[in-house]
Amino acid sequence: MLGTKFNKFRGLTLGTAALAMSTGFGSTAMAEDLVAMLLPENVNARWESQDAFFYVQAMKELVPNVKVEVFNANNDTATQQRQAEQALTKGAKVLIVIPIDGEAAAIIADNAAEAGVPAIAYDRMMQSPNTDFWVQADMFATGASQAQHVIDNTAKGDTLVLLKGSPTDPNAGVIAAGQMSVLQPLFDSGERVLGYENWTQGWDPAIARRSMDQALTKLDNNVQGVVSSNDGNAGAAIASLEEQGMNGKVPVTGLDCTVQALQLILLGQQSQSVWRPFEEMATVTAKVTAALLNGEDPSSLTQGTVENSAGAQIPFVPVDHYVAVGEEGVAYVIEHDLSVSKDDVCQGEAAETPFCKG
């Protein structure tokens, strides 16, 4: 699995793929230079309100004369490919791609390579030998931390539900592999019971909600833990649990530390989420972009390589993650995430919590 390679490749020297990229992409960035950022969808607010926002801000500071155009494909792979073609036709010097489907997005990296344009996979891998860099947190470890949280908050013989991510998102498989690295031995031994599992196409909360409804029906509400791969799934699971009077009684994990998730944590209904420093991810991506535009070597920003499913060693730019639990976790995210304020979180029911009144 891709996720098992994170530790293996950390600390290695940069591969030849990135060294070859350090030349041949033009001189110092010019005012007419264009960079394109291709977002996958708007179901998850983070892409526009955090990732794109922070990337644009960082680019303004690093190369203020360069234009950044942001596209959103709304979960349509054909649209994302057309947007990439449009950006290349406009003369984009670098593509930053968050693929909807890692395999389908290979053609984006391939077409960019034909045009002599570097393609950076942001957050999700493009499964092409022409992917030039990958910026990502350790998603395998993220999945493992989600599973461990549920294990720590359940007992021997308890039944768990797994709400996995989108089957087309390469991250979802890595997260699931991390989860199963913790869970499978316990399922095998009977320490925990796998009651239900399902993938969530497009990370659509409506699909996650149907899955959770089906799980509760199938198991006659005999569910003691929900290993949810992101906050959208978590919110859907909690809504389903609430209908059965079970919300707040079952540990539910998440990923992204959205405002809604932080509110649910304060309300005691979501027990965990994982925060990734989107500002750091976007800023380091902007640094790689600026180096490429200026004909400089970005190798100092990488930590070895990761092999993608095309068998290519992709220079890897890693960032850390933080496990948010309880008020302490909410406070940490508010302190470190410039896109989230206490005022944002302390709305609605959450406003009545001790954290918000304190």
Side-chain angles (χ1 to χ4, degrees):
M1 291 296 296
L2 182 59
T4 63
K5 297 182 182 295
F6 283 95
N7 291 329
K8 177 179 178 182
F9 290 111
R10 278 182 176 161
L12 297 182
T13 56
L14 182 68
T16 56
L19 292 175
M21 287 184 56
S22 66
T23 60
F25 289 113
S27 56
T28 301
M30 304 296 290
E32 65 269 22
D33 282 347
L34 170 68
V35 169
M37 188 176 205
L38 307 180
L39 307 183
E41 37 88 353
N42 56 12
V43 173
N44 294 292
R46 60 161 281 202
W47 300 120
E48 294 183 355
S49 66
Q50 297 186 68
D51 301 273
F53 173 80
F54 288 133
Y55 179 75
V56 171
Q57 291 300 111
M59 287 292 288
K60 284 180 180 178
E61 292 182 10
L62 293 168
V63 278
N65 292 326
V66 172
K67 179 183 178 182
V68 178
E69 187 161 354
V70 178
F71 298 81
N72 195 314
N74 295 315
N75 257 332
D76 188 305
T77 56
T79 296
Q80 190 167 60
Q81 290 169 9
R82 286 196 300 272
Q83 290 172 340
E85 291 169 2
Q86 180 183 352
L88 291 172
T89 299
K90 286 184 173 183
K93 298 293 194 299
V94 180
L95 298 185
I96 297 86
V97 186
I98 304 115
I100 299 165
D101 182 321
E103 297 288 347
I107 192 171
I108 295 176
D110 294 344
N111 289 342
E114 286 184 11
V117 173
I120 300 170
Y122 179 96
D123 195 65
R124 303 173 179 175
M125 177 66 80
M126 288 185 288
Q127 308 296 356
S128 165
N130 292 308
T131 301
D132 294 300
F133 289 91
W134 186 36
V135 181
Q136 178 55 288
D138 189 337
M139 303 310 292
F140 187 89
T142 292
S145 69
Q146 292 170 335
Q148 190 61 54
H149 173 82
V150 170
I151 294 305
D152 291 343
N153 289 277
T154 53
K156 182 177 181 180
D158 279 352
T159 299
L160 309 183
V161 169
L162 273 61
L163 296 180
K164 298 184 284 191
S166 178
T168 61
D169 179 353
N171 281 350
V174 180
I175 293 169
Q179 293 166 351
M180 294 309 290
S181 72
V182 174
L183 297 173
Q184 192 63 60
L186 300 177
F187 292 152
D188 291 344
S189 69
E191 289 283 317
R192 299 293 186 278
V193 177
L194 174 56
Y196 180 95
E197 64 177 330
N198 204 5
W199 296 91
T200 307
Q201 184 68 43
W203 294 96
D204 187 340
I207 295 174
R209 174 63 189 272
R210 288 197 296 271
S211 293
M212 193 66 204
D213 287 345
Q214 291 167 5
L216 291 172
T217 299
K218 173 188 173 183
L219 300 168
D220 195 23
N221 290 352
N222 180 29
V223 174
Q224 288 75 47
V226 179
V227 182
S228 162
S229 289
N230 84 336
D231 289 339
N233 285 3
I238 290 165
S240 185
L241 290 166
E242 185 175 14
E243 279 201 352
Q244 305 301 319
M246 297 168 65
N247 56 315
K249 302 174 183 178
V250 176
V252 180
T253 64
L255 167 67
D256 288 339
C257 287
T258 62
V259 168
Q260 181 192 34
L262 298 176
Q263 292 170 333
L264 289 170
I265 289 174
L266 291 177
L267 293 168
Q269 298 182 41
Q270 182 170 333
S271 53
Q272 183 256 27
S273 187
V274 176
W275 178 75
R276 291 169 290 168
F278 298 128
E279 183 182 17
E280 180 183 340
M281 288 177 63
T283 298
V284 75
T285 303
K287 288 179 179 178
V288 172
T289 305
L292 294 170
L293 290 171
N294 290 324
E296 300 168 354
D297 181 4
S299 63
S300 63
L301 299 168
T302 66
Q303 289 189 26
T305 61
V306 171
E307 184 178 355
N308 66 12
S309 68
Q313 298 293 328
I314 309 303
F316 176 46
V317 185
V319 296
D320 292 327
H321 72 275
Y322 171 79
V323 178
V325 176
E327 289 187 0
E328 180 182 350
V330 174
Y332 180 95
V333 174
I334 290 172
E335 179 183 354
H336 292 87
D337 190 331
L338 297 179
S339 70
V340 179
S341 70
K342 187 172 182 178
D343 286 343
D344 294 331
V345 175
C346 292
Q347 301 290 328
E349 286 184 75
E352 301 303 314
T353 62
F355 176 88
C356 291
K357 287 189 169 184

